Amino acid sequence: MATNAGELVVFVTAAIGGLKQGLADAKASISDIAPTLKRLALVAGAAVVAGLSASLLAYADAEKAAIGLAVALKNKGVTAQKTLRDMLDLSSGLQQLTGVSDEEITRAQTLLVNFGLQGEALKTATKAALDFSLKTGDLGTAAKLVGQAFQGNTERLQKYGIVIEEGTPKALKFALALRQMMTGEAEAAGKGLEGQFKILKETINDAAENIGAVLAPAVKDMFTLFNNNREVILSFASRLGDAAFDTLVSMIKFVNLVLRYKQDVLDFVKN
């Protein structure tokens, strides 16, 4: 009967040895990037613990909108950073007046640029689109209609009470359309209770963006590290998983042996 107890001791020792070897293999597979992973994990962990994922998302949305505008300007031959900065500043300023998010305004500017608007005409068209959006229901639709009016297509404006006589020259059509669109309603709405609440909300969102801007470089580095070392990380996870699975199987076998030789185990422990 002592032989059965001895068998258990040998079995457990072998199982533990297998786990140690599996963990050692997993550790070896990731040792080269372990120091960097540790540092970046601390940064990412701090962000999660502090609940800053929303800040990163807010920054990512602002970045995406700005990149879209930059690409649209570049496609029209405008590469000066000052022009992009001026348009982003306009978006921010109009947000503080109307409560419409600067990202939404920037996306509307991108639409207008794609229609061919630039310079002061682009700034005026942006303000007109904000006012007109109170009639269309959303800024994207308003910007599209403003852009079409710039190209001389004003027929769809009739749905919103803006009628331009047939035969009116293209440039004059746009000027007449803008005159009817620019009502000042967007800024007036921003002064009401609901507007002030929206402005406050966007101010808080901007604060979150600023926090996200600080965290973004470290998080991008972490993503780059993981993407560049995908095979190493997958190998580590696989080896760790194999070791855990083998250990679980061994423990199940061990429990079965204990149940089978319960009395032998008790005698072995007593002695």
Side-chain angles (χ1 to χ4, degrees):
M1 302 296 283
T3 301
N4 292 331
E7 179 185 350
L8 287 173
V9 173
V10 172
F11 182 86
V12 172
T13 302
I16 293 175
L19 175 60
K20 287 182 177 179
Q21 184 60 49
L23 291 175
D25 290 343
K27 182 179 180 181
S29 72
I30 204 168
S31 60
D32 291 340
I33 62 171
T36 307
L37 278 176
K38 183 177 180 181
R39 290 195 299 271
L40 293 175
L42 288 174
V43 175
V48 172
V49 171
L52 296 176
S53 60
S55 296
L56 290 168
L57 291 174
Y59 172 75
D61 187 41
E63 182 183 50
K64 183 179 179 181
I67 290 173
L69 178 57
V71 170
L73 288 169
K74 183 179 179 180
N75 289 340
K76 296 298 181 179
V78 180
T79 58
Q81 284 296 309
K82 184 180 183 304
T83 300
L84 175 62
R85 186 69 263 164
D86 285 348
M87 296 313 300
L88 293 176
D89 287 344
L90 177 64
S91 294
S92 180
L94 290 173
Q95 172 187 279
Q96 288 303 107
L97 291 174
T98 65
V100 178
S101 77
D102 51 356
E103 290 82 18
E104 190 176 351
I105 296 172
T106 298
R107 282 189 277 269
Q109 290 174 334
T110 301
L111 273 174
L112 294 170
V113 169
N114 287 334
F115 276 105
L117 282 147
Q118 294 183 24
E120 290 302 315
L122 174 58
K123 295 178 181 180
T124 302
T126 301
K127 296 174 183 178
L130 276 167
D131 284 337
F132 196 43
S133 68
L134 296 179
K135 290 185 177 180
T136 64
D138 69 276
L139 184 54
T141 298
K144 185 177 180 180
L145 290 170
V146 171
Q148 290 174 343
F150 174 71
Q151 294 182 337
N153 302 316
T154 58
E155 290 77 11
R156 291 185 62 192
L157 297 179
Q158 295 179 16
K159 176 181 177 181
Y160 304 97
I162 297 177
V163 179
I164 309 297
E165 291 184 8
E166 292 186 16
T168 302
K170 178 180 174 181
L172 184 56
K173 274 187 176 183
F174 183 56
L176 292 173
L178 285 184
R179 185 181 300 173
Q180 296 181 64
M181 290 177 183
M182 294 185 70
T183 60
E185 289 182 64
E187 186 174 343
K191 294 177 181 178
L193 179 60
E194 182 180 357
Q196 289 295 299
F197 178 77
K198 288 181 178 178
I199 291 172
L200 175 60
K201 179 183 175 183
E202 294 304 326
T203 299
I204 294 172
N205 189 64
D206 285 347
E209 285 177 25
N210 292 337
I211 295 172
V214 174
L215 290 173
V219 174
K220 286 179 180 178
D221 286 345
M222 180 183 67
F223 291 162
T224 299
L225 177 71
F226 274 83
N227 290 332
N228 291 343
N229 294 277
R230 179 176 179 274
E231 295 304 322
V232 175
I233 293 170
L234 289 178
S235 175
F236 168 75
S238 178
R239 294 192 183 195
L240 188 59
D242 288 343
F245 178 77
D246 290 343
T247 301
L248 178 60
V249 172
S250 296
M251 292 304 297
I252 292 173
K253 291 180 179 178
F254 170 69
V255 171
N256 286 333
L257 282 173
V258 169
L259 293 176
R260 185 184 303 174
Y261 303 115
K262 180 171 65 175
Q263 190 58 49
D264 291 346
V265 172
L266 292 175
D267 292 342
F268 177 77
V269 172
K270 289 178 182 179
N271 294 330

